[in-house]
Amino acid sequence: MTEVGIDGIEVRTGKLKLDLAEEFAPAQGDDPEKYTKGLGLNASSFPDVYEDIVTMGANAAYRLMERKGLEPEDIGRIDVATESAFDHSKPVSTYIAGCLEQRYPGTFHHANKGERKFACISGTQALDDAFNWIRAGRNRGRAGLVIATDTALYERDDPGEATQGAGAVAMLVDEDPDVAAFSVEQGYGSADETDFLKPDQQFPSVDGKRSVQVYLARMREALEDFESAGGDTHPDNFAFAPFHTPFPGMVSKAAVLGYRHAIRGTDVEEELVEEIGRQPRREAFDDDEAYLEAVTEYTDALAETDHYRDWYARTIEPTLTVSREVGNWYTGSVHLARVSGLLYAAEEGMDLTGKRLLVASYGSGAQAEIHAETVQEGWREEVGAIDIMDRVADRTPITFEEYEAIHDVHNRDEETDMEPLTTPEEEFVFDGWGRMGERKYTYVE
Ligand code: COA
């Protein structure tokens, strides 16, 4: 069967940068290492005054189309994944299509457009929709455009404030992809949870500590479900394991639990017997409490082994590089982790063709999904064209006071007039309001 997957990727970050150690921590009266070491974040990206989820998404999609030599008639669907939408009816994909149509003679009138919502996991769900549409043979030779775009803002002084971020990842889904082909096997862990939600409000109500536990619980279910679907989870069989990364510290918690689960009954567990013993098995304990205590002890010891540390340094750490500098991009975050791993591989001259990725997505509310991907021959050229690290380096640093003003600019309950801190060039920008309350956009040469 023809492979279907990601044929091209483009990434756009918000153009402003708040340094957490230099600006945020002192203003909060916190030790900077709480952020840099505890959460694993150095900085957050924010959109300038003229940027939002539409401009970031449209700018990423436009560069992707230009790079791949595509016209609107080559695209059969545009799915936007976001949890920062500003309209309960008209999807963000229509705004993005409207932007793109300013740049092409043709239109997207033939393209199916939608908006996917399920907290941070909807980018992965939108990829899945495009995959299924192509596999069902309904695409008539056209590709799907999936755009995960978010401005991840929290209420001021919420514990989540340090994890904010803004950016978009645009992905082209097609047959015979150049970057990565999706596995048919996938696993889910899904439950009705109230860890993070936005009931008719812009900023989330968050039970942060609980959200961490729910992430871990649903991820475990997804891993087991993936295995039950025949998915291979042996940790040494994957070049990278990109996780949803609300902050890198979350991934380090999840990775060791996933590793422990995946090495059970394998050669790796055997190799570690002399050093840390075998994994505790439930049947050897009288009660859950004693068993859980033994499991925690084993996990702590596992995390300290060279075996685990080497695996983490090889398979997980490279996926966190971009996230450390830009914060949480919600729907785009796991896709940024994939990009981060691939950028590292290109830089290191690794031969990734045919190698596998284990992709672990999560959205609060809550659902985790795990699937595998096989890296395709054209990956190096495609990844070489992604300029996100230059864009990250080019961001304009902002002071804490400027951050406060920018947070207000993007707060829908505040009326704030502020001059932009950067100058737009060759990009779509927010251009004011229309007569029905719609947001309007224009392209600046
Ligand atoms: N040096 C080094 N590490 C430090 C530190 C210091 N000076 N101060 C704190 N830390 C560590 C803490 O030990 C903790 O690590 P641990 O969890 O491994 O113990 C980490 O930094 C964060 O500190 P904590 O006090 O737990 O932070 P917090 O309660 O203010 O906020 C969240 C953490 C996750 C609750 C918060 O960021 C949040 O609500 N985020 C939004 C929701 C989210 O992203 N959830 C994830 C699942 S989607």
Side-chain angles (χ1 to χ4, degrees):
M1 206 182 281
T2 322
E3 298 284 14
V4 176
I6 301 173
D7 195 41
I9 309 176
E10 265 303 329
V11 189
R12 281 291 173 131
T13 174
K15 290 187 179 180
L16 306 178
K17 168 193 168 185
L18 179 68
D19 190 289
L20 293 177
E22 310 249 308
E23 294 291 335
F24 189 74
Q28 300 297 107
D30 279 333
D31 179 351
E33 295 204 339
K34 171 175 178 182
Y35 304 111
T36 53
K37 295 233 160 74
L39 297 176
L41 289 169
N42 298 325
S44 310
S45 281
F46 290 94
D48 203 344
V49 173
Y50 56 84
E51 294 184 290
D52 66 11
I53 53 171
V54 172
T55 66
M56 293 185 296
N59 287 319
Y62 182 46
R63 184 162 192 264
L64 181 57
M65 286 184 64
E66 287 294 283
R67 211 157 53 60
K68 302 289 275 184
L70 299 170
E71 295 287 326
E73 63 255 32
D74 300 316
I75 305 292
R77 59 187 292 148
I78 304 178
D79 293 300
V80 169
T82 185
E83 50 175 302
S84 327
F86 45 78
D87 193 312
H88 287 303
S89 176
K90 182 175 155 60
V92 170
S93 50
T94 59
Y95 286 94
I96 290 183
C99 288
L100 295 172
E101 283 173 355
Q102 296 179 29
R103 304 297 299 163
Y104 294 99
T107 72
F108 292 98
H109 289 199
H110 59 276
N112 184 12
K113 306 180 189 83
E115 189 171 299
R116 263 284 191 175
K117 178 183 72 185
F118 196 149
C120 303
I121 201 174
S122 62
T124 299
Q125 292 180 311
L127 286 179
D128 216 33
D129 292 340
F131 174 89
N132 293 335
W133 168 71
I134 293 172
R135 269 292 165 88
R138 293 175 135 179
N139 62 316
R140 292 185 274 161
R142 289 173 170 144
L145 190 53
V146 169
I147 303 158
T149 181
D150 271 300
T151 299
L153 292 182
Y154 289 77
E155 198 87 64
R156 297 290 314 282
D157 296 328
D158 184 285
E161 195 179 2
T163 70
Q164 295 175 125
V169 182
M171 292 164 282
L172 192 72
V173 182
D174 208 350
E175 289 165 284
D176 293 323
D178 282 341
V179 181
F182 301 145
S183 66
V184 171
E185 299 82 33
Q186 58 183 168
Y188 288 104
S190 189
D192 176 11
E193 299 276 7
T194 45
D195 53 333
F196 174 115
L197 51 156
K198 301 177 183 169
D200 270 336
Q201 62 199 44
Q202 183 186 0
F203 302 132
S205 298
V206 193
D207 184 340
K209 301 285 180 211
R210 180 155 171 68
S211 76
V212 169
Q213 294 313 314
V214 175
Y215 178 119
L216 298 175
R218 302 289 80 81
M219 208 55 104
R220 181 200 172 94
E221 286 173 353
L223 197 59
E224 286 171 347
D225 195 44
F226 179 65
E227 287 168 341
S228 77
D232 168 31
T233 56
H234 193 296
D236 293 340
N237 292 346
F238 297 95
F240 299 113
F243 275 74
H244 167 52
T245 313
F247 52 94
M250 179 71 243
V251 176
S252 69
K253 285 185 207 300
V256 70
L257 299 185
Y259 190 82
R260 186 193 73 212
H261 176 90
I263 63 167
R264 238 173 190 229
T266 69
D267 52 327
V268 180
E269 185 184 15
E270 281 309 311
E271 281 167 38
L272 289 168
V273 165
E274 209 169 296
E275 195 178 347
I276 56 170
R278 263 202 182 75
Q279 293 199 27
R281 298 322 202 240
R282 177 64 188 89
E283 50 284 10
F285 293 84
D286 292 337
D287 56 71
D288 285 347
E289 204 180 315
Y291 169 62
L292 286 179
E293 208 172 293
V295 169
T296 305
E297 212 173 287
Y298 178 87
T299 311
D300 291 346
L302 176 66
E304 298 302 320
T305 61
D306 286 345
H307 212 106
Y308 176 72
R309 284 168 184 253
D310 289 349
W311 174 82
Y312 187 89
R314 211 169 49 240
T315 316
I316 303 290
E317 190 56 46
T319 68
L320 305 176
T321 313
V322 188
S323 162
R324 286 190 197 289
E325 306 306 322
V326 301
N328 189 0
W329 287 8
Y330 286 162
T331 55
S333 152
V334 64
H335 308 293
L336 195 59
R338 183 197 289 102
V339 166
S340 184
L342 295 175
L343 285 171
Y344 171 84
E347 222 177 84
E348 294 292 305
M350 288 167 68
D351 180 11
L352 270 198
T353 304
K355 300 270 186 343
R356 285 160 71 76
L357 313 177
L358 191 68
V359 181
S361 305
Y362 172 77
S364 289
Q367 182 160 300
E369 190 260 11
I370 289 181
H371 68 268
E373 296 176 4
T374 306
V375 178
Q376 302 294 296
E377 227 180 307
W379 76 275
R380 193 185 302 279
E381 196 181 325
E382 270 306 308
V383 169
I386 301 174
D387 62 354
I388 181 60
M389 290 322 280
D390 293 338
R391 290 181 187 277
V392 164
D394 284 350
R395 286 172 303 171
T396 297
I398 53 175
T399 62
F400 188 78
E401 290 69 32
E402 286 168 332
Y403 155 67
E404 290 186 297
I406 276 292
H407 195 285
D408 280 351
V409 164
H410 296 291
N411 180 344
R412 291 174 207 147
D413 293 333
E414 299 277 344
E415 294 262 342
T416 312
D417 222 4
M418 181 180 171
E419 286 301 312
L421 297 164
T422 60
T423 308
E425 208 182 315
E426 293 184 5
E427 64 194 290
F428 297 105
V429 297
F430 170 63
D431 190 26
W433 303 87
R435 72 183 173 93
M436 291 178 74
E438 75 273 25
R439 292 174 73 85
K440 296 179 70 168
Y441 298 92
T442 190
Y443 188 84
V444 173
E445 295 288 351

